[in-house]
Amino acid sequence: MSTVLMYARFAPEQLARYASDWYAVVEWYGEWDESDVPTVSVPQKSIDLFEFVLADAGTPVTLYTLGIHEGTIRQPDDVEPWLLSDVGEFFEPWSVTPAGVTALAAALGGNPFDSLVARADSAKMAAAGVALVPDRGRRKGFDKSHYEELAGFLADAAAAGEGLIVFYVD
């Protein structure tokens, strides 16, 4: 099974609450259902590709980080072991402010997937270990559909003035 990143949209007041309270995020995550808040999930391999082609095009965006993001919602030191077994040993989602969402939406919206891929250096892609998902020797629309879905999701969140909380999901 591969890792997936789930992006969840929140109004600024909700985002402020969750970004400052790890336990509140855990409670929301444990009770979450699809009708709760808008979400989109993207495989990490696709995110790796998106970050590579965006960076290769000179667009500095960060769609995910590994626990070093300034908006990381840090896990308290005194968490009960039973709770960690429910959410995972390393459950530290991160938040993205409405301004950050607007910047992400502009970066993805201003850089169509096909254009990014056409400009990307394939040798650099291979060296970085990122590639398009193949389909019987042809490029599959898998990554492109995720890119377009994420770009639309971010555009909608930016238009609504919302922020995000991003979760790793296995």
Side-chain angles (χ1 to χ4, degrees):
M1 186 185 302
S2 65
T3 301
V4 172
L5 274 74
M6 182 179 80
Y7 296 79
R9 292 172 36 187
F10 291 96
E13 59 279 356
Q14 291 173 302
L15 183 68
R17 175 178 173 232
Y18 292 130
S20 64
D21 186 347
W22 184 85
Y23 289 103
V25 173
V26 169
E27 183 178 342
W28 176 85
Y29 186 75
E31 296 173 2
W32 170 80
D33 68 44
E34 292 187 26
S35 64
D36 192 15
V37 297
T39 63
V40 66
S41 296
V42 181
Q44 184 170 344
K45 287 185 178 190
S46 294
I47 296 292
D48 291 343
L49 171 67
F50 304 162
E51 287 212 332
F52 179 87
V53 295
L54 286 162
D56 199 50
T59 305
V61 298
T62 302
L63 300 171
Y64 80 95
T65 58
L66 298 171
I68 57 171
H69 194 275
E70 62 199 40
T72 299
I73 304 166
R74 299 273 179 223
Q75 185 181 95
D77 292 333
D78 61 349
V79 176
E80 295 291 334
W82 66 266
L83 184 55
L84 292 179
S85 69
D86 287 349
V87 297
E89 280 296 313
F90 187 72
F91 183 80
E92 290 189 337
W94 65 94
S95 61
V96 181
T97 64
V101 171
T102 298
L104 287 171
L108 271 68
N111 289 285
F113 183 78
D114 289 332
S115 174
L116 286 171
V117 171
R119 293 187 315 222
D121 183 326
S122 59
K124 283 184 186 176
M125 285 176 74
V130 297
L132 295 168
V133 175
D135 183 18
R136 292 185 213 138
R138 291 174 281 151
R139 191 170 72 204
K140 187 176 177 185
F142 181 83
D143 287 315
K144 181 178 179 177
S145 67
H146 280 297
Y147 185 90
E148 291 172 349
E149 181 180 19
L150 181 60
F153 179 82
L154 293 171
D156 291 346
E162 295 172 329
L164 303 174
I165 295 184
V166 185
F167 302 87
Y168 284 106
V169 181
D170 285 324

